[in-house]
Amino acid sequence: MIEEKILFERGNVYIHERPVTDSKGTALDEIGGTIFLVENERGKILRFIPLGLENTNYAVTDEWAMVNGHSVISYNKNGNSDSESLSFNNSPLLKYRFQFRLHDLRNIRRHHTLHGIAHMIFILKDGTTLPAFYFHLGGSKNLLQQIAQYLRLEKSIQDSRLYIIKDALPSEPKENVQAASTFDQLHLFDNGNDSMSRFKFGHDSRRTTMERFSKVTHFLRDAFLGQNDITSTGDNEDGGITPDFNSLLESFNGSCDLRESNNDGFEVIYKVDFKKLPDVTRCAPITIKEWQALFDKNGKIMDPDSVKVRIFRGGLENSLRKDGWKFLLNYYPWDSTEKSRIDITKQKQNEYFSMKLQWRSMTEQQKQRNNLFRDRESLIEKDVMRTDRTLEYFQGEGNIHLELLHDILMTYNMYNFDLGYVQGMNDLLSPVLIVMDNEVDAFWCFVGLMDRMGDNFHMDQSHIKRQLSNLHTLLQFIDAELANYLAENNSSNMYFFFRWMLICFKREFSFQDVLLLWEVIWTNYPCKNFDLLVCLAILISQKTVIMESQFGCNEILKHINDLSFKVQLEPLLRQAEGLYILLKKHEESTPGLPPVISSIMFPNMKKKKIRNFNDDDDDESDATSTISSTSSRTHSPSYGPVRVRHHTDSHTINENDSAVVTHTS
């Protein structure tokens, strides 16, 4: 047994996790335990022990760090003797037993509110993000002070709640990075206008910048700076117009970034500001009474567009999802009447059982002559048995719902044999079956879902790769600094979002949050690529942690994966919509968005013609000033009407959105 010295101990520490059950089958909404800081021959160790595992031997292996699972097999060599022992523990609480060495720590986030419960989040060098530890009876500050005795902590300039472990930073030489960081911290350009620090100049900064601006012709004056922001210019010796560099820089607000893009032969400079997002409005889910009022006397939805916007704003109550999803997933046409829906249901039943009979009536000899069918059937059987078994709906041996899941996937394999079955489809079907609780309805809703997402499952993965590429393109425009950092660390392919995009966040949020997020995305409001903005909002919220921790490719991947079930959905949806509002404002201004951005977000919007100042003067209506975000107003976006119960909150994209959000009604 390894001897240990306890340096810090605090009980009544909790992990607020998805509901789990203990070894006795009792439901637990939170996992309580004790957090320790101990010292032994391996160094200083931070450890969390859930209640019920107090007698677990933590010295059983030399390299025990963390348990991620519902069981563990432990090997123990007893001191200097030759005796050995093997132990097995299958407690469901084992996955919440954590331990790591202090020198493996990369940073600490401590959230503390005046009347709330303080909590701490630990992020390791490899990108592992542990769950938040809530100190119900205090002690988080004492723990932070204790850690500070052994590690050099530095509070982040960007986020006062983030503490960077300086002693744990990589040892490889980074002279240029260190120098830049030092100059930034000295605030040498802190004079109210930091435009100079936002340009990445070459060896001759003035020449480089002048060369860039010289490519922008006369329309720069009006189209980008606005009628009231015309900069003075002087004639050069060649008789051309040369912008005055200093006044041009000063004309841009220091809080905005500049982007370059080639537009019809011109190198256009865009003024962008996505740091402060506009306030947006979300509301409570649609109620049964409200839903019933949406139909006319024939059972036809009177205004489908307003219904979609209303669903986007707040979602549906659980009891309404069975009906609402049939519209969202094209089981029922939006203009159908109550009578026509009865006929549709009968027709769908006949079609389904006809297809189901095709594969159920196949003989073993027929299957043996169809290798592809046989392989898919085997894969479906394996995947079904491990689909959401922690959910009550699929628990237990011989579960009838697992049989339905199997039959629906097998029938879809016959319905769309070209695509067939691919792993991940079971994840998409599971919530649909739970909501519908009917084999036929679940199948046809799943067909509608696969009509939306089927491209994700093509073998060449071209669609997913294109979406990830679009994601990085958007990030380059919205947050060039973060995009450049990812590129420098071999992460510009955005593969850490692959699972998120493949199964539409199915494993990243709680079950109820997934239902809400899906129906929000299915409305196609405010745009068909809203899921990309959701990804961007999550990524940008982690910018400070990723960059100040100097995460590399592997650490970024691990950190993003560890965000599962740790992101609050409602703030995220507001942030994603805030990004959309600013993008749309840029698109509707002159010169609009860069064509590559516009093609991703607004493929059907007619592009404005950039005014050529050699054209006639009567074309001046095409020129408007470049926009910047307005953060003091609550926006009612122009993409549709909505009846809401208003509640708003001002916000920016940052990691602190996991804290309590205060609403004003």
Side-chain angles (χ1 to χ4, degrees):
M1 180 71 67
I2 298 176
E3 295 184 0
E4 293 185 335
K5 176 183 178 182
I6 297 178
L7 305 175
F8 177 90
E9 179 179 354
R10 179 71 61 169
N12 291 288
V13 178
Y14 291 83
I15 298 174
H16 296 178
E17 189 56 81
R18 291 181 296 166
V20 296
T21 57
D22 61 14
S23 57
K24 299 179 181 179
T26 305
L28 301 174
D29 293 329
E30 54 188 13
I31 295 87
T34 304
I35 199 163
F36 296 88
L37 180 61
V38 302
E39 184 176 17
N40 57 34
E41 63 184 30
R42 303 188 191 112
K44 295 176 176 63
I45 308 292
L46 193 66
R47 175 184 301 154
F48 176 77
I49 305 177
L51 294 175
L53 297 180
E54 297 88 343
N55 297 325
T56 303
N57 180 9
Y58 283 92
V60 294
T61 67
D62 290 338
E63 296 298 332
W64 186 92
M66 186 181 308
V67 174
N68 290 317
H70 296 287
S71 62
V72 64
I73 299 176
S74 301
Y75 169 78
N76 181 22
K77 185 174 178 63
N78 298 320
N80 297 324
S81 67
D82 295 330
S83 62
E84 300 174 346
S85 63
L86 197 66
S87 61
F88 176 78
N89 192 326
N90 64 347
S91 170
L93 295 177
L94 280 170
K95 63 178 295 187
Y96 301 104
R97 187 184 72 172
F98 297 98
Q99 176 173 289
F100 60 87
R101 289 183 286 268
L102 277 192
H103 77 257
D104 291 329
L105 193 59
R106 177 62 62 88
N107 60 50
I108 304 170
R109 177 177 299 284
R110 178 176 178 266
H111 295 259
H112 177 70
T113 57
L114 184 60
H115 300 293
I117 299 174
H119 66 273
M120 299 177 72
I121 300 174
F122 301 97
I123 302 175
L124 308 185
K125 287 180 180 180
D126 65 357
T128 298
T129 302
L130 274 65
F133 295 95
Y134 289 80
F135 292 73
H136 284 206
L137 298 183
S140 64
K141 184 177 181 180
N142 295 337
L143 177 57
L144 190 66
Q145 292 172 340
Q146 188 72 30
I147 294 174
Q149 295 183 25
Y150 312 109
L151 299 174
R152 184 164 62 92
L153 306 182
E154 182 173 307
K155 186 178 291 188
S156 168
I157 298 175
Q158 302 296 327
D159 183 356
S160 61
R161 298 176 179 180
L162 182 66
Y163 296 85
I164 307 298
I165 313 300
K166 287 299 181 180
D167 288 346
L169 293 179
S171 58
E172 59 267 27
K174 293 190 177 182
E175 290 82 359
N176 294 336
V177 175
Q178 294 287 354
S181 176
T182 302
F183 278 108
D184 287 342
Q185 294 178 17
L186 289 176
H187 303 289
L188 296 180
F189 298 102
D190 191 14
N191 57 358
N193 186 350
D194 61 350
S195 297
M196 289 290 292
S197 63
R198 295 181 181 275
F199 280 94
K200 292 187 177 180
F201 296 127
H203 296 295
D204 187 343
S205 60
R206 186 178 182 86
R207 178 181 298 275
T208 302
T209 306
M210 291 301 292
E211 288 176 353
R212 290 181 177 180
F213 280 119
S214 67
K215 299 177 183 179
V216 184
T217 56
H218 302 155
F219 67 87
L220 175 66
R221 296 176 302 171
D222 297 6
F224 297 144
L225 302 183
Q227 300 293 335
N228 298 324
D229 297 319
I230 298 179
T231 61
S232 61
T233 60
D235 292 337
N236 61 22
E237 59 186 13
D238 297 325
I241 301 297
T242 303
D244 180 80
F245 173 63
N246 293 325
S247 58
L248 182 59
L249 284 181
E250 291 171 0
S251 68
F252 289 96
N253 188 313
S255 64
C256 299
D257 291 328
L258 304 180
R259 303 283 187 273
E260 299 175 50
S261 178
N262 188 282
N263 192 340
D264 296 332
F266 298 107
E267 186 162 327
V268 182
I269 295 180
Y270 296 85
K271 174 184 176 184
V272 299
D273 182 9
F274 288 89
K275 292 182 175 61
K276 180 64 177 178
L277 298 181
D279 299 338
V280 298
T281 302
R282 290 195 59 78
C283 56
I286 296 178
T287 63
I288 295 179
K289 183 178 181 181
E290 186 179 354
W291 178 258
Q292 292 172 344
L294 300 174
F295 296 84
D296 63 15
K297 62 180 181 180
N298 295 318
K300 180 180 177 180
I301 293 179
M302 294 179 285
D303 189 350
D305 287 340
S306 66
V307 174
K308 294 176 186 177
V309 175
R310 181 63 182 86
I311 294 174
F312 172 80
R313 282 271 164 259
L316 296 159
E317 285 189 347
N318 270 327
S319 59
L320 294 175
R321 287 195 165 112
K322 186 171 184 177
D323 292 329
W325 282 23
K326 292 178 181 179
F327 289 96
L328 291 170
L329 294 173
N330 297 321
Y331 184 108
Y332 293 147
W334 285 93
D335 60 354
S336 62
T337 63
E338 183 177 4
K339 182 178 181 304
S340 66
R341 290 195 290 273
I342 294 175
D343 295 335
I344 289 172
T345 300
K346 292 180 180 179
Q347 178 185 350
K348 295 291 188 184
Q349 287 178 344
N350 293 333
E351 291 181 14
Y352 174 77
F353 287 113
S354 176
M355 288 183 289
K356 183 176 180 179
L357 182 61
Q358 291 178 18
W359 66 266
R360 295 203 66 168
S361 60
M362 289 182 68
T363 65
E364 287 300 321
Q365 291 78 8
Q366 289 175 315
K367 291 180 181 180
Q368 289 299 322
R369 292 192 294 269
N370 193 331
N371 291 337
L372 186 57
F373 178 89
R374 190 173 64 253
D375 292 344
R376 289 175 178 175
E377 182 181 39
S378 175
L379 185 58
I380 288 172
E381 290 174 352
K382 292 177 182 178
D383 287 350
V384 163
M385 295 308 297
R386 55 193 181 204
T387 301
D388 289 336
R389 298 305 301 272
T390 59
L391 298 178
E392 183 179 357
Y393 195 81
F394 294 113
Q395 287 180 353
E397 296 297 326
N399 188 296
I400 184 62
H401 300 128
L402 291 177
E403 296 180 17
L404 295 180
L405 196 73
H406 170 273
D407 290 356
I408 293 171
L409 291 174
M410 288 294 298
T411 306
Y412 184 80
N413 179 50
M414 299 299 298
Y415 172 83
N416 187 359
F417 200 79
D418 286 345
L419 180 60
Y421 174 78
V422 182
Q423 282 185 315
M425 291 181 180
N426 55 316
D427 276 295
L428 296 179
L429 175 58
S430 169
V432 175
L433 178 57
I434 293 175
V435 168
M436 293 296 132
D437 198 28
N438 176 279
E439 183 178 0
V440 176
D441 292 346
F443 172 81
W444 288 110
C445 286
F446 179 66
V447 168
L449 179 55
M450 291 306 299
D451 287 344
R452 295 180 60 96
M453 301 190 62
D455 289 345
N456 287 3
F457 296 94
H458 288 167
M459 295 302 294
D460 62 2
Q461 300 178 344
S462 58
H463 179 73
I464 286 283
K465 292 176 181 178
R466 183 166 57 253
Q467 288 292 78
L468 295 176
S469 176
N470 290 341
L471 199 58
H472 186 257
T473 300
L474 289 172
L475 182 64
Q476 286 178 308
F477 185 76
I478 293 173
D479 195 326
E481 183 183 24
L482 180 55
N484 291 336
Y485 181 88
L486 295 179
E488 292 167 359
N489 288 274
N490 301 316
S491 298
S492 58
N493 53 30
M494 312 293 275
Y495 280 175
F496 45 81
F497 278 138
F498 186 90
R499 184 183 69 192
W500 300 40
M501 302 297 296
L502 179 67
I503 55 177
C504 199
F505 309 98
K506 164 63 165 51
R507 299 184 184 180
E508 318 311 322
F509 295 93
S510 67
F511 181 76
Q512 287 299 321
D513 280 352
V514 167
L515 302 185
L516 172 58
L517 178 57
W518 279 10
E519 60 200 17
V520 164
I521 292 174
W522 295 343
T523 64
N524 291 333
Y525 279 88
C527 60
K528 290 187 176 180
N529 275 330
F530 189 69
D531 54 338
L532 296 184
L533 298 180
V534 173
C535 288
L536 281 180
I538 295 173
L539 181 58
I540 295 173
S541 74
Q542 300 301 308
K543 175 182 177 179
T544 302
V545 170
I546 291 173
M547 294 185 64
E548 295 201 16
S549 301
Q550 298 185 15
F551 281 162
C553 179
N554 292 336
E555 291 86 354
I556 293 172
L557 175 64
K558 187 73 170 66
H559 179 69
I560 296 298
N561 283 339
D562 284 346
L563 292 178
S564 297
F565 303 102
K566 298 174 185 175
V567 178
Q568 290 192 350
L569 182 60
E570 284 292 342
L572 175 65
L573 292 175
R574 288 192 290 271
Q575 293 159 7
E577 187 181 359
L579 290 174
Y580 170 83
I581 292 171
L582 296 187
L583 285 169
K584 187 177 182 183
K585 281 193 172 184
H586 278 285
E587 176 68 3
E588 294 175 344
S589 68
T590 299
L593 291 170
V596 64
I597 303 296
S598 182
S599 65
I600 296 172
M601 296 307 305
F602 308 99
N604 300 321
M605 184 174 289
K606 186 177 180 181
K607 288 291 292 181
K608 289 186 178 181
K609 177 184 177 182
I610 297 178
R611 183 163 77 98
N612 188 327
F613 282 80
N614 294 324
D615 294 342
D616 295 335
D617 290 339
D618 60 1
D619 203 23
E620 290 184 4
S621 60
D622 287 334
T624 59
S625 61
T626 301
I627 65 98
S628 61
S629 70
T630 57
S631 58
S632 59
R633 296 193 301 272
T634 300
H635 289 256
S636 297
S638 59
Y639 41 82
V642 59
R643 299 184 306 171
V644 300
R645 185 180 71 193
H646 291 279
H647 64 278
T648 63
D649 56 281
S650 178
H651 63 278
T652 57
I653 291 187
N654 56 50
E655 300 89 334
N656 300 334
D657 278 318
S658 59
V660 177
V661 178
T662 302
H663 299 287
T664 58
S665 300

